[in-house]
Amino acid sequence: EEPPRNSLFFIISHNRDSVLPTIKSRCLNLQFRKFSNDEIENFLKTKISINDIYNLNEIIDLSNGSIGRALELIKEDSQEINLKIRKLFNEYSDEDLYELESFLRRSNKLDLFFELSIIKIDKLICECALKGHNYENEKIDKFFHIREKIHKIYYEGKKYNNLNNHIILDLILLIKKSLYIWEKLMTNPFYISTAISYTNGSPHIGHAYEVIA
């Protein structure tokens, strides 16, 4: 229906690509800067008791500049999701992944799980960049390819309302794979080489020692 004159509609999205082109073409794009970690911490201190928070620094870091997400993360069920993500990035076995998939379907917290996982992956990418190693471009491209694939599977599943157990498990496995690639990137390479034998005179005891050693 026709809105009254001088009406303004605000469409808020953390992902512009998820907005239909027919809608974006009729919108004015306004970008807002993220809140700093200090601003989020000062805000949280006015709303809650800091002693009740599981890990304040981690919550502020995962909020990624969003006060709304920070408030979401201090909830008990959100802290449980964050704990499971931490385990996924550190200690989950293949058997535990099926348990995680079942939990996500029951908890109705898949959106938060996906957002926090992407934030974790983005921070891993930043960490790789800050290390300043001369990584192979192919490996870096593979890292970003997996991240893009995670986005595609998730948003297509949301679009067609098809986030079933198989798709959720695929997302979990891709997230786990991104961590595997990161570990490969962050591992300093080492090389094993042997001397190249060549004729430099009559054979002597030194040649035998070199080969045996």
Side-chain angles (χ1 to χ4, degrees):
E1 312 340 351
E2 291 296 328
R5 296 183 61 183
N6 300 323
S7 297
L8 295 176
F9 292 91
F10 289 88
I11 301 176
I12 301 175
S13 175
H14 295 288
N15 181 17
R16 289 191 299 170
D17 293 335
S18 64
V19 181
L20 294 174
T22 53
I23 295 178
K24 284 195 292 187
S25 64
R26 293 167 171 79
C27 293
L28 178 65
N29 182 31
L30 298 176
Q31 296 187 8
F32 298 90
R33 73 169 182 85
K34 298 178 180 179
F35 288 98
S36 68
N37 287 359
D38 289 338
E39 290 173 323
I40 294 177
E41 180 178 358
N42 291 334
F43 174 81
L44 290 177
K45 287 180 179 179
T46 65
K47 298 294 182 181
I48 55 175
S49 172
I50 299 301
N51 295 329
D52 296 336
I53 297 180
Y54 180 75
N55 188 326
L56 178 61
N57 291 331
E58 183 180 40
I59 288 175
I60 293 174
D61 194 41
L62 288 175
S63 67
N64 200 29
S66 169
I67 286 181
R69 183 179 284 116
L71 290 173
E72 175 70 19
L73 288 173
I74 63 177
K75 297 178 181 178
E76 184 176 350
D77 54 349
S78 296
Q79 290 188 31
E80 185 177 7
I81 290 289
N82 188 27
L83 178 60
K84 290 186 177 298
I85 291 175
R86 193 184 306 121
K87 286 184 177 180
L88 175 63
F89 276 76
N90 291 286
E91 58 190 64
Y92 263 93
S93 65
D94 291 342
E95 292 79 8
D96 294 331
L97 299 181
Y98 291 95
E99 179 184 340
L100 176 59
E101 177 272 325
S102 178
F103 168 80
L104 290 173
R105 281 191 291 108
R106 295 194 314 268
S107 67
N108 197 30
K109 286 287 184 179
L110 182 59
D111 289 348
L112 181 62
F113 173 82
F114 169 77
E115 290 179 10
L116 294 183
S117 297
I118 290 296
I119 291 174
K120 284 271 193 182
I121 292 173
D122 287 344
K123 292 185 181 301
L124 293 181
I125 294 174
C126 290
E127 188 173 340
C128 288
L130 292 174
K131 286 291 183 179
H133 294 305
N134 294 322
Y135 300 118
E136 298 178 16
N137 290 334
E138 183 179 348
K139 292 181 179 179
I140 291 288
D141 290 342
K142 187 180 294 186
F143 206 142
F144 280 99
H145 174 72
I146 289 180
R147 183 185 182 279
E148 181 181 351
K149 192 172 182 180
I150 293 172
H151 267 281
K152 182 177 180 181
I153 291 176
Y154 178 74
Y155 284 114
E156 284 187 353
K158 291 276 289 184
K159 180 178 180 180
Y160 298 107
N161 194 25
N162 190 33
L163 286 172
N164 54 42
N165 57 328
H166 297 293
I167 292 180
I168 294 174
L169 189 59
D170 284 345
L171 285 170
I172 294 173
L173 291 173
L174 281 171
I175 292 169
K176 191 72 174 176
K177 186 176 181 179
S178 70
L179 177 64
Y180 172 76
I181 293 175
W182 175 79
E183 290 174 342
K184 288 289 186 182
L185 289 173
M186 297 302 291
T187 302
N188 292 326
F190 64 93
Y191 305 93
I192 299 177
S193 63
T194 58
I196 301 175
S197 300
Y198 58 93
T199 305
N200 62 348
S202 301
H204 55 82
I205 190 64
H207 293 103
Y209 175 76
E210 177 186 84
V211 174
I212 294 173

